[in-house]
Amino acid sequence: MTPMSCLGVSMEEKPRVESERKWQRVLLKVSGEALAGDHTENIDPKVTMSIAREVASVTRLGIEVAIVVGGGNIFRGASRAGCSGLDRSSADYIGMLATVMNAIFLQATMESLGVPTRVQTAFRMSEVAEPYIRRRAVRHLEKGRVVIFAAGTGNPFFTTDTAAALRCAEINAEVVLKATNVDGVYDADPKQNPNARLLDTLSYYEVTSKDLSVMDMTAITLCQENNIPVVVFNLQKEGNIAKAIMGEKVGTLISNPSS
């Protein structure tokens, strides 16, 4: 009996399991708008449960998952600046607090399915979450825990897309998976142009030169400089999260042409 068979795994099985995985550690970016579902309420429990189930299914395979959540379903700082004298910095801080609310809700849903989850915030809120510490986040992932990063970068004037790119680089994740309400990146606005074409692949240069509405330029540049691929896909389609995490073809892949 070989050492592998003593563990109940044959030598033939292991290569097959490994070949099914494209990524070992991923960063899932979930927009606040996606969490709102049909927008009848700020956070749709059906959406958070769907996310939790699919993330749970891949963590059982040993894939490490970190999540960055947006807050636009509750409060979007950039669009609220100027209201009643609210300055941009204060508006952005309120938006960061909104992401913490989403993170705690998503954490509760994850743990209801038995998935150990930690929320880490970019500024200290020790009564409800851990502060963001890179080494601690990596250790949580290595232990099979899902880590949800909240409060963006902790600084105003930066989006949660930039936070996703930054955290991805910091924890050495292999890809940013951007879950949205559309199927991917189109060559035109599909809401205005019924002939808009879904693009399977794009380069970082094409995104910036064509000013495609994928992520803000800071986030795209950060991904390009660190050679982090980005997959943009539809959160609303069942199974898409698990497919994206497993590296199956879904949505639009943004990467260097040589990738």
Side-chain angles (χ1 to χ4, degrees):
M1 182 179 290
T2 65
M4 287 302 294
S5 61
C6 289
L7 297 174
V9 180
S10 70
M11 294 299 288
E12 290 76 18
E13 287 176 348
K14 189 171 178 59
R16 177 183 62 81
V17 173
E18 291 296 329
S19 66
E20 290 175 355
R21 303 180 188 175
K22 185 171 183 178
W23 324 111
Q24 176 59 35
R25 179 179 296 167
V26 305
L27 190 294
L28 174 64
K29 166 64 198 319
V30 181
S31 69
E33 288 85 351
L35 288 175
D38 58 8
H39 296 277
T40 57
E41 48 191 330
N42 286 338
I43 305 176
D44 187 340
K46 295 190 296 295
V47 174
T48 59
M49 183 57 72
S50 176
I51 294 170
R53 286 196 183 108
E54 294 192 42
V55 170
S57 70
V58 297
T59 56
R60 294 189 187 106
L61 299 175
I63 297 175
E64 300 168 3
V65 182
I67 302 174
V68 168
V69 289
N73 56 318
I74 299 172
F75 191 95
R76 181 176 293 281
S79 62
R80 300 296 290 270
C83 298
S84 300
L86 188 65
D87 62 88
R88 174 63 188 273
S89 293
S90 297
D92 280 352
Y93 280 119
I94 297 172
M96 291 179 219
L97 293 172
T99 71
V100 177
M101 296 168 67
N102 285 336
I104 293 172
F105 197 112
L106 186 55
Q107 178 189 35
T109 308
M110 291 278 191
E111 294 189 335
S112 73
L113 297 180
V115 181
T117 308
R118 301 291 185 271
V119 172
Q120 291 195 344
T121 56
F123 45 74
R124 291 185 179 274
M125 302 178 67
S126 55
E127 287 77 13
V128 296
E130 298 178 5
Y132 170 66
I133 300 173
R134 186 185 69 84
R135 287 179 179 271
R136 181 178 291 176
V138 170
R139 187 59 177 152
H140 285 320
L141 293 170
E142 291 172 346
K143 285 181 173 289
R145 299 164 184 153
V146 172
V147 181
I148 305 175
F149 298 120
T153 66
N155 300 288
F157 302 100
F158 290 94
T159 68
T160 50
D161 280 347
T162 297
L166 177 63
R167 296 291 184 251
C168 184
E170 287 180 309
I171 66 172
N172 297 318
E174 299 163 90
V175 63
V176 172
L177 305 173
K178 183 174 168 61
T180 67
N181 287 327
V182 294
D183 290 331
V185 184
Y186 289 81
D187 58 0
D189 187 345
K191 294 180 180 178
Q192 299 179 5
N193 183 354
N195 297 317
R197 183 170 58 93
L198 178 65
L199 304 172
D200 292 331
T201 60
L202 281 170
S203 68
Y204 302 111
Y205 174 75
E206 288 175 310
V207 173
T208 54
S209 63
K210 296 178 181 179
D211 195 25
L212 297 174
S213 299
V214 181
M215 305 169 81
D216 67 85
M217 290 301 104
T218 304
I220 284 293
T221 301
L222 191 54
C223 288
Q224 181 177 14
E225 289 177 349
N226 291 278
N227 197 26
I228 298 170
V230 180
V231 178
V232 183
F233 66 98
N234 193 336
L235 173 72
Q236 306 297 332
K237 291 189 175 180
E238 187 176 353
N240 266 4
I241 293 177
K243 288 178 182 177
I245 292 175
M246 291 295 291
E248 295 183 29
K249 186 176 180 181
V250 59
T252 303
L253 172 66
I254 304 167
S255 63
N256 282 320
S258 58
S259 298

